């Protein structure tokens, strides 16, 4: 009942803001949708690993940050891309950077699985949780040692001109670029998990690792592939985030927690739920920071996000699209 009242108040607040400033409302909603698309790539990494190992890889956000820092080195220092570069050079350089960041994230994540998690599969969950937190700090400090405390950014490579402008509602190419990259990545991921042999092995291992091994599935290789896939998604998301914002060694900590909240909100272990949760979190963050009528503001973003996490864990621990299990019931 309390949850229904809260949702009702939230919808009423959004309706008033829509009535008062419809132009700002839709502009902010587009910003939230774009931000949510980046969160979705990170949230999918959490949900993939949890779906197969029931493990929250807290180092995932730090892999995201380190991949973004590496990408900034390639874009700014090696490829020397800037807004004056030819369009074909920018697109080619970004395409190569996406591949490099995805491979780098995949290697780091699969290495973490091999070094830290593989030997703990039969250990108590508390030991695995502590190890995951420890790996987060290790990766974060590696980023700090290599790239120091300063933010890294890249020149505005994607033009900020309008894709469309309708009645004062604008959507720029730099934001649309995020959607253009994210959408096909999500389609390919869905196809891979649902239709390929490797995807079937992932789903079988998720349901019953022992039975999957008996049926001839290489469980270790499947789990390593899942970690690599999650790291690759983090690398792609890091490049997209870098194109829009700046990044430093601890950026992944906050974004990782936000993406984890999105995964829990949608139903951790559910790919569609992770995307839905990420979009909702992106919209909530944008509305909180961008609307004018009684919006708490950016200082309250973290509190609101974690309040949502607590509320979901209390009232609907399986998330919006997840299935209730005996453990979570």
């Amino acid at each position: 009942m309390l949850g229904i009242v809260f949702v009702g108040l939230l919808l009423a607040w959004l309706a008033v803001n829509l009535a008062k400033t419809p132009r700002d409302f839709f502009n902010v909603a587009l910003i939230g949708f774009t931000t949510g698309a980046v969160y979705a790539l990170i949230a999918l990494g959490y949900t993939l690993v949890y779906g197969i190992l029931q493990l929250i890889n807290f180092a995932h956000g730090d892999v995201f940050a380190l991949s973004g820092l590496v990408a900034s080195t390639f874009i700014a220092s090696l490829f020397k891309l800037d807004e004056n570069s030819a369009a074909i050079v920018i697109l080619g350089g970004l395409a190569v950077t996406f591949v490099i960041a995805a491979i780098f994230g995949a290697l780091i994540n699969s290495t973490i699985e091999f070094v830290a998690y593989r030997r703990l599969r039969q250990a108590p969950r508390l030991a695995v949780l502590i190890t995951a937190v420890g790996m987060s700090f290790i990766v974060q400090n590696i980023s700090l040692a290599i790239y120091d405390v300063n933010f890294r950014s890249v020149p505005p490579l994607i033009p900020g001109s309008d894709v469309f402008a309708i009645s004062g509602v604008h959507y720029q190419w730099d934001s649309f670029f995020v959607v253009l990259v994210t959408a096909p990545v999500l389609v390919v991921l869905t196809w891979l998990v649902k239709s390929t042999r490797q995807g079937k092995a992932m789903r079988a291992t998720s349901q019953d690792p022992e039975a999957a091994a008996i049926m001839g599935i290489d469980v270790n290789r499947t789990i390593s592939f899942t970690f690599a896939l999650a790291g690759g998604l983090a690398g792609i998301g890091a490049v997209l985030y870098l194109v829009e914002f700046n990044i430093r060694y601890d950026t992944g900590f906050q974004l990782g927690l936000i993406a984890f909240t999105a995964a829990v909100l949608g139903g951790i272990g559910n790919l569609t739920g992770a995307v839905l949760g990420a979009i909702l979190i992106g919209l909530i963050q944008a509305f909180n920071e961008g609307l004018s009528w009684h919006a708490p503001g950016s200082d309250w973003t973290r509190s609101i996000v974690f309040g949502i996490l607590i509320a979901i864990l209390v009232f609907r621990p399986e998330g919006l699209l997840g299935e209730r299990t005996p453990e979570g019931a």
Side-chain angles (χ1 to χ4, degrees), residues 9-26:
L9 291 174
L10 176 61
L11 292 177
W13 173 70
L14 290 174
V16 172
N17 273 284
L18 174 60
K20 285 180 173 290
T21 55
R23 181 184 304 172
D24 292 344
F25 183 91
F26 286 110

Side-chain angles (χ1 to χ4, degrees), residues 177-297:
F177 176 73
V178 174
V179 179
L180 285 177
V181 173
T182 302
V185 169
L186 297 180
V187 171
V188 171
L189 176 65
T190 302
W191 167 79
L192 189 153
V193 172
K194 293 186 176 181
S195 303
T196 67
R197 186 172 184 177
Q198 186 63 57
K200 293 176 182 177
M202 290 168 61
R203 288 185 281 129
T205 303
S206 173
Q207 291 178 4
D208 193 327
E210 289 78 13
I214 292 173
M215 297 301 294
I217 294 173
D218 189 331
V219 172
N220 284 333
R221 186 176 67 182
T222 300
I223 292 174
S224 294
F225 177 82
T226 303
F227 270 83
L229 184 59
L233 291 172
I236 294 172
V239 178
L240 290 175
Y241 188 85
L242 182 66
V243 170
E244 284 284 303
F245 309 103
N246 50 28
I247 196 169
R248 71 172 191 172
Y249 76 99
D250 60 350
T251 301
F253 178 75
Q254 178 179 349
L255 290 187
L257 289 176
I258 291 175
F260 171 64
T261 302
V264 174
L265 174 61
I268 193 160
N270 185 301
L271 297 182
T272 305
V275 176
L276 174 62
I279 297 298
L280 290 176
I281 290 292
L283 289 171
I284 290 169
Q285 179 180 351
F287 287 143
N288 171 60
E289 298 177 1
L291 295 181
S292 57
W293 187 76
H294 292 294

